[in-house]
Amino acid sequence: KEKHKILHRLLQNSSSPVDL
Amino acid sequence: LPPPAKKPLTKIVSHLLVAEPEKIYAMPDPSMPESDIKALTTLCDLADRELVVIIGWAKHIPGFSSLSLGDQMSLLQSAWMEILILSIVFRSLPYEDELVYAEDYVMDEEHSRLTGLLDLYVSILQLVRKYKKLKVEKEEFVTLKAIALANSDSMHIEDVESVQKLQDALHEALQDYESCQHTEDPRRAGKLLMTLPLLRQTATKAIQHFYSIKMQGKVPMHKLFLEMLEAKV
């Protein structure tokens, strides 16, 4: 995860996720 | 009797339509002289901004955000180029032998040759022709994009069962859509799914090409694009 810092950060910034 | 309730699966397709990102533009730097380096710089910058949008879009796919953060990362790291290419393909459908990287950045064969992107041009155009022949609709395109993400065959998935559940839900949404909208062709969902191997093959080529450009070090690349490129090789 340390190597993929930006992806990790962008995924953590939640924006109204939808669940099944 | 009340009308039968809409199946939740049809809801997935309508949800994916709403989640479709806004257009983004390539905006090539007007102060830079025209060259292959300028074209590649423009494309890498566009891809970097599109990646941010794709990550935001993925979170709106029903079920994606319930996966672990690690599995969300693994799926995106495997499928991002397929998603980028599928979007180029869909934008290029109304055009003749041109690839619409963005509405303000359309490349023909000659431009692709000069940029060293002829192989990629030929492969993407093969996909465009397949979808033109099928007259693929926006509903199908958004569902296929989500399927490409869920079906990215990452080797690092922790919770295989949950990813399978996501694949099944999206697959069912596509089948459900086709059985309602395309009763004339009972094999249409299969035909659409059978385009995915060429998409995978094209994305692999694109990754290899942009990785070799990165190694040559002549084209500036933003951090997210580099991060995703490195995750694939």
Side-chain angles (χ1 to χ4, degrees):
Chain A
K1 274 171 195 169
E2 200 41 45
K3 269 174 74 189
H4 312 295
K5 282 186 286 194
I6 308 174
L7 174 62
H8 190 260
R9 200 184 65 227
L10 288 171
L11 277 171
Q12 271 189 322
N13 294 343
S14 63
S15 64
S16 63
V18 181
D19 291 322
L20 283 173
Chain B
L1 279 173
K6 262 195 177 174
K7 281 189 185 175
L9 298 166
T10 315
K11 249 165 64 185
I12 293 183
V13 176
S14 14
H15 190 93
L16 290 173
L17 280 176
V18 176
E20 235 347 67
E22 294 287 313
K23 276 179 193 165
I24 63 172
Y25 293 91
M27 301 179 291
D29 181 355
S31 68
M32 216 174 150
E34 293 304 325
S35 68
D36 56 340
I37 300 292
K38 176 180 177 173
L40 293 170
T41 304
T42 305
L43 286 180
C44 291
D45 170 67
L46 176 67
D48 186 77
R49 286 182 285 120
E50 282 216 75
L51 275 168
V52 177
V53 171
I54 286 172
I55 295 163
W57 159 81
K59 290 196 276 194
H60 290 277
I61 297 174
F64 182 82
S65 289
S66 358
L67 299 175
S68 71
L69 196 56
D71 283 348
Q72 293 179 34
M73 289 174 72
S74 298
L75 291 181
L76 279 162
Q77 284 168 340
S78 289
W80 65 275
M81 187 58 99
E82 290 182 42
I83 296 163
L84 272 183
I85 290 176
L86 208 43
S87 302
I88 297 164
V89 167
F90 193 72
R91 284 195 291 268
S92 306
L93 290 179
Y95 290 70
E96 205 58 52
D97 297 334
E98 286 181 311
L99 295 184
V100 184
Y101 285 100
E103 297 298 334
D104 63 342
Y105 211 69
V106 180
M107 270 201 195
D108 61 9
E109 187 179 344
E110 189 52 22
H111 194 180
S112 306
R113 191 194 316 277
L114 293 172
T115 319
L117 295 174
L118 187 62
D119 275 358
L120 203 55
Y121 166 86
V122 171
S123 290
I124 300 180
L125 216 58
Q126 193 188 347
L127 274 167
V128 173
R129 290 190 183 124
K130 271 185 186 251
Y131 289 119
K132 269 189 183 177
K133 203 172 158 197
L134 282 164
K135 294 191 171 63
V136 71
E137 292 153 5
K138 187 153 188 185
E139 288 81 356
E140 296 167 325
F141 156 72
V142 295
T143 312
L144 271 180
K145 235 175 19 150
I147 289 175
L149 177 64
N151 187 46
S152 62
D153 290 311
S154 164
M155 291 192 296
H156 310 290
I157 297 300
E158 299 154 358
D159 184 351
V160 175
E161 205 180 311
S162 294
V163 173
Q164 182 66 56
K165 214 176 120 193
L166 179 64
Q167 289 172 10
D168 289 347
L170 293 164
H171 181 192
E172 215 171 340
L174 181 68
Q175 281 193 320
D176 197 47
Y177 177 81
E178 300 306 345
S179 62
C180 293
Q181 302 296 323
H182 288 280
T183 44
E184 81 289 352
D185 186 358
R187 279 178 289 275
R188 188 167 170 90
K191 283 177 184 164
L192 288 168
L193 294 172
M194 282 189 216
T195 62
L196 294 179
L198 180 60
L199 177 66
R200 172 78 49 92
Q201 197 180 311
T202 308
T204 305
K205 258 189 211 174
I207 295 276
Q208 284 166 351
H209 189 71
F210 280 95
Y211 195 79
S212 74
I213 291 171
K214 166 194 132 75
M215 296 310 281
Q216 289 162 21
K218 290 179 198 159
V219 177
M221 291 175 176
H222 295 295
K223 278 186 187 164
L224 178 59
F225 184 68
L226 281 172
E227 192 181 289
M228 297 303 270
L229 210 49
E230 276 158 12
K232 279 292 281 183
V233 287

